[in-house]
Amino acid sequence: MRDMHCHILPGVDDGARNLQESLAMLEAAKAAGITSIVCTPHVRDPYFDYDAMWDAYDLLCAHANGFPIQMGWEVNHSKLMELGMEWADYLCFEGGKEFLLELSSRCQKHHFQEYERTIFELQSRGYQVIIAHPERYRAIQDDIEIARDLVKMGCKLQASADFVAGGRLGREKKPAKRLFEENLYTYIASDAHNVEHYQLFAEARSTYRTRGKHAAL
Ligand SMILES: [Fe+2]
């Protein structure tokens, strides 16, 4: 079972602060049944440092005793606009075409015109766009039709497991339940910033189903 969104890299964002914490998270991930991890540090201010993140990845790999770890990124839409679309090639999952896109949690419906342009652009470049934690976005909380449209466009939706405890902003549980009821999610990921988040991941995985039998892989 792959965890395709977490902040396990040491000292590069608001996740693990050092290698010791990263390795504790790795153990917690294994205990939660995870068999491979995509490391997805924040591509947004004030964290983004491409070289430092690769260095952190190399450090973790060197201490992971062969556990399957892949480099990836959680790309904030505004930051991508600032960097330019030519950066997309550097910010997809290592060795693949998956692209984890984070939108603004305060977004409103009209922002999706721009988001959709970006998604089409990424898709035309051959990327599989994965939308990180749609349950966290204000516009989707207000109107689930937006999430349906994202799925129709070919996006995959990823739930962050902490919704079971209310979510990062404390208002994600209800919208997440609706998205599960409508079978709109493809993935549940830990979005782990610390050890405790893996317990929530195990809880979410045991309680909620995603699209298709291999959906969590
Ligand atoms: Fe995240």
Side-chain angles (χ1 to χ4, degrees):
M1 179 168 57
R2 179 176 68 147
D3 183 16
M4 40 76 77
H5 179 170
C6 67
H7 300 271
I8 196 170
L9 292 186
V12 291
D13 62 10
D14 55 349
R17 284 172 294 188
N18 50 49
L19 182 61
Q20 198 183 0
E21 287 190 5
S22 297
L23 295 176
M25 286 173 70
L26 188 58
E27 290 309 310
K30 289 182 202 169
I34 290 163
T35 53
S36 69
I37 282 178
V38 187
C39 308
T40 54
H42 285 295
V43 178
R44 66 169 156 89
D45 298 328
Y47 305 115
F48 182 55
D49 183 330
Y50 189 74
D51 292 335
M53 287 170 171
W54 271 109
D55 288 347
Y57 172 71
D58 291 340
L59 179 66
L60 182 59
C61 284
H63 290 81
N65 286 324
F67 187 88
I69 296 176
Q70 186 185 358
M71 187 57 173
W73 313 85
E74 180 184 12
V75 185
N76 177 269
H77 183 269
S78 302
K79 190 68 184 176
L80 179 62
M81 295 299 96
E82 182 191 318
L83 291 168
M85 287 301 280
E86 63 274 17
W87 265 83
D89 291 343
Y90 299 95
L91 300 175
C92 63
F93 288 7
E94 180 189 6
K97 294 300 260 181
E98 290 168 295
F99 193 99
L100 181 62
L101 184 65
E102 177 192 45
L103 309 177
S104 166
S105 55
R106 294 182 302 276
C107 63
Q108 295 171 3
K109 192 165 189 171
H110 67 87
H111 291 121
F112 278 79
Q113 289 170 2
E114 189 188 0
Y115 293 156
E116 287 181 9
R117 275 198 299 276
T118 302
I119 290 165
F120 281 134
E121 171 76 28
L122 287 167
Q123 289 173 333
S124 72
R125 289 169 180 243
Y127 294 109
Q128 170 62 67
V129 178
I130 301 165
I131 305 295
H133 39 62
E135 68 277 3
R136 200 180 291 177
Y137 305 139
R138 178 63 59 85
I140 292 177
Q141 292 170 346
D142 292 342
D143 183 2
I144 199 169
E145 184 67 21
I146 296 170
R148 293 188 198 112
D149 287 344
L150 290 171
V151 172
K152 276 183 211 151
M153 286 172 68
C155 296
K156 295 189 186 302
L157 306 188
Q158 171 255 306
S160 285
D162 64 354
F163 77 85
V164 296
R168 180 151 261 237
L169 305 177
R171 52 168 194 253
E172 284 102 296
K173 191 165 188 173
K174 223 167 129 183
K177 277 184 161 177
R178 279 205 67 195
L179 292 165
F180 276 108
E181 277 162 18
E182 293 209 20
N183 200 24
L184 292 172
Y185 285 120
T186 297
Y187 302 107
I188 301 174
S190 74
D191 197 359
H193 288 65
N194 54 48
V195 163
E196 288 71 32
H197 285 153
Y198 286 106
Q199 285 154 13
L200 300 177
F201 174 81
E203 189 183 329
R205 284 277 306 149
S206 66
T207 314
Y208 293 89
R209 290 186 179 280
T210 51
R211 297 164 76 90
K213 58 183 175 178
H214 299 301
L217 299 174

